[in-house]
């Protein structure tokens, strides 16, 4: 995993990027990479569109149209498990 914050940081709203330390995730992910994104209590498959330390990580959610594309924070992503494998926790 990418050094995500503990689960309690996901609940009760999203932290601002300025509240996060300089995350090593930015150096570990690239545009085009498949990841899982934590959103409102569930993990969703997505593809990284862009990585920007000032804005976060822009993703396109699998099986959703572009209107759902969004910027997420480093602690909201994890590597996507290969087809048929259980995701990393």
């Amino acid at each position: 995993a990418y050094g995500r914050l503990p689960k309690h940081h996901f609940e009760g709203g999203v932290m601002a990027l300025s509240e996060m330390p300089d995350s090593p995730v930015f150096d570990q992910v690239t545009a085009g990479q498949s990841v899982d994104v934590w959103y409102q209590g569930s993990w969703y498959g997505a593809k990284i569109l862009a990585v920007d330390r000032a804005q976060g990580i822009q993703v396109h959610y699998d099986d959703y149209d572009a209107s759902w594309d969004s910027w997420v924070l480093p602690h909201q992503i994890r590597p996507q498990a290969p087809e048929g494998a259980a995701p990393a926790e």
Side-chain angles (χ1 to χ4, degrees):
Y2 298 122
R4 296 182 312 273
L5 295 174
K7 183 177 178 182
H8 70 273
H9 285 278
F10 295 134
E11 298 167 358
V14 176
M15 295 173 65
L17 188 59
S18 62
E19 295 174 13
M20 295 197 60
D22 188 26
S23 176
V25 174
F26 289 114
D27 297 323
Q28 299 171 2
V29 297
T30 60
Q33 183 176 353
S34 293
V35 294
D36 290 326
V37 178
W38 182 259
Y39 178 74
Q40 295 188 354
S42 296
W43 290 102
Y44 294 88
K47 186 169 295 265
I48 295 176
L49 299 176
V51 179
D52 184 308
R53 288 182 184 273
Q55 295 183 46
I57 301 164
Q58 187 181 30
V59 297
H60 171 78
Y61 293 97
D62 298 345
D63 303 320
Y64 289 84
D65 65 45
S67 68
W68 287 92
D69 293 359
S70 61
W71 289 92
V72 298
L73 299 176
H75 68 275
Q76 292 177 266
I77 66 169
R78 68 179 182 191
Q80 196 171 65
E83 190 76 25
E89 288 297 326

